[in-house]
Amino acid sequence: MIRKLVNSALILSLALSVAVFAQQPGQPSVDRLRNTIMYLASDALEGRRTGTQGANDAAHYIAAEFNMLGLRPGMPGGGRTRGENRARYLQPFPYVSKVELGKHNLFFVNSGRADDIAQFKVGEDWMPLGFSSNDEVKAAEIVFAGYGISSSELKYNDYAVSNAKDRVAIVFSGTPDGDNPHGQFVQAGQVRFKAAAARAAGVRALLIIANDEILQHDRLSTLSYDNAGEAGIPVMVISRRMAQKILTLGSLDEYLAFADSRKVDTHVTADRPTSCSVNIPRSLLLRSGVASTKLNFAVNVNRIESPSFNVVAILPGSDPKLKNEAIVIGAHYDHLGLGGEGSLAPREGEIHHGADDNASGTAGVLELAHMFTQGPKPRRTIVFVAFSGEEEGLIGSNYYVNHPVVPLANTVAMINMDMIGRLKDQKLSIGGVGTAQEWKDEIKRTQDLLTAPQTIPASAGNHSSASTASPFALTLNEDGYGPSDHSSFYSKQIPVLFFWTGTHNDYHKPSDTAEKINYPGEARIISFVANIIRDIDRNDKRPAYTVAKSESQGRATGFRVYLGTIPNYADSNDGLLLDGVRDDSPAAKAGIKAGDKIVKMAGRDVKNVYDYTYALGEMKAGEEYDVELMRGGQRITLKIRPEARK
């Protein structure tokens, strides 16, 4: 009898919940979703790369939608005109969108003879890379350093067989593996890591020989910047003609034959013949410089900041007390523009439409704004944020958590949607479920509610009927960190949930287009998310933040060791700022904290994330290393013992 009563009560409770959910005003509109995604992913916005006109057009579109719904702008102040009022939804953040040549870029080569001084033209014979440091170098000696790669993990070091300290290193583009995208040198051969390796070897400047015969056609000759800080030394790409003028001991083909340091015998002596199949001088074989040749150059690169924005809108809460607390609903609206950095397309220049990544999530934010502005207002304040700079390293969301419109102490949860437009076989992934005690129960309750029989009332001449929706095939991930904007919030100890439908063959390619979106499927996901948000809002008690189980060590990262740090990927030239440190990790055990700035690690100076990554690649599990960091204006040294990556 007791069991029957309990079961009856549960059924009644569930029926009432279903009725309430079914009566909630404002359901997601498939037509609105389609219209929003088709616009954001259109050719007109040219891929919405952060800092471009297309991205800013998208920001103004989102602001206009927020304004139309009567949401309060996130930025303070007043506006007399409609344009001024919409501008108050835009939260600007610093971002370098383009790089230009300065006025003072010169390059002379002196072969040692008074009548043999050659001047080379910038843009035709050589070009600074966008992350090159500005400097002026006189009478510099040169050294050939193969491919300019150093990796202790791969037991490969071009600088071990080159007398490179205080010289200008000249290296070939690419790796000993050639163009193999799955080769062992894929990471170490990236130009950023070549620059880090050169600086660690004490090189004054790095010259990279272009692959293409015509410099202007080489991918390195395009001035671009990844907002991750300067190299710390001048870095340039030079034409093959210019390289031959500098490297006078043999042809470029002869140099290429010994670019792989594994082919260089460092013990060759003058009276010992080599097994070399080409007629190449021993001085080249030993990677020494050409003493008579001197370089004189000046590098001047200007980095131009462009207006870049998060778009922030506020729906004030209705409860006298709970309105001081906020739930953040977010998604990033930026994408990859015309390709380049981050793109998986074979060539640059095509529009990367970014329909799923992440026009779909942005459309989800706008739909939820539509839904929550209709009918009864939520008790807590809702902050809607469309982030930019996500593809550049979570720049926009990182800026927001350090400049929030509602204090982070009052932010009870962050809901992030990134790539929710390709629902297939009902598969939905939810990350961050370990960041609050309530999340798993919330998700189960919403899944049950979604699939419970829903009675359609009888009308004249009709019988009542019941229908059910198929459940989502959920994949739950506990970790609060991940490659999207929720990570910025979790690093500030805010519970997060991250919704996505998985990757696909169009990921980061021009083919991620609007007609491939599953619009009814996305509408179902938005209903699911809305119900979770309503559950959070109905509860007087805020979600209880918990430290989530880390699931990152199982991912392939290319490193043998694990520290447990969460780097900040924003532009930096004076160290690597940490957004967070995983609990019970080597970094936590060493005493490293969120907000610390690492300036030296394992004997390597660290100015940016690439220097840090290079140093990480040199470390071995179980060995103790010094880590120097800035904390509260003081430089301190800690000991860290990396763990083997599992």
Side-chain angles (χ1 to χ4, degrees), residues 93-96 192 225-230 389-400 402-403 488 566-579 597 607-610:
F93 59 85
Y95 178 76
V96 176
R192 271 285 195 171
Y225 188 61
D226 57 9
N227 280 266
E230 296 178 15
E390 191 270 355
E391 301 286 5
E392 317 296 332
L394 314 185
I395 296 176
S397 58
N398 182 268
Y399 185 86
Y400 176 88
N402 288 291
H403 305 83
S488 298
I566 310 298
N568 181 306
Y569 291 95
D571 193 345
S572 173
N573 295 310
D574 61 352
L576 178 74
L577 181 66
L578 298 180
D579 280 344
K597 179 175 284 187
K607 293 184 178 295
N608 53 52
V609 69
Y610 289 97

Side-chain angles (χ1 to χ4, degrees), residues 245-324:
K245 179 69 176 179
I246 298 172
L247 298 173
T248 59
L249 299 180
S251 69
L252 288 187
D253 286 341
E254 288 177 315
Y255 276 94
L256 186 61
F258 285 93
D260 187 339
S261 65
R262 294 169 297 189
K263 298 178 180 179
V264 177
D265 184 352
T266 60
H267 301 293
V268 172
T269 61
D271 57 354
R272 175 185 168 193
T274 75
S275 59
C276 177
S277 61
V278 292
N279 183 21
I280 198 165
R282 185 174 67 87
S283 57
L284 171 59
L285 193 64
L286 292 178
R287 303 278 191 86
S288 63
V290 183
S292 60
T293 300
K294 299 291 189 295
L295 306 183
N296 297 274
F297 56 83
V299 175
N300 184 220
V301 174
N302 295 327
R303 296 174 184 87
I304 311 300
E305 286 195 4
S306 295
S308 302
F309 310 99
N310 296 323
V311 191
V312 186
I314 300 171
L315 177 62
S318 60
D319 186 274
K321 293 183 179 179
L322 293 180
K323 69 179 181 181
N324 294 320

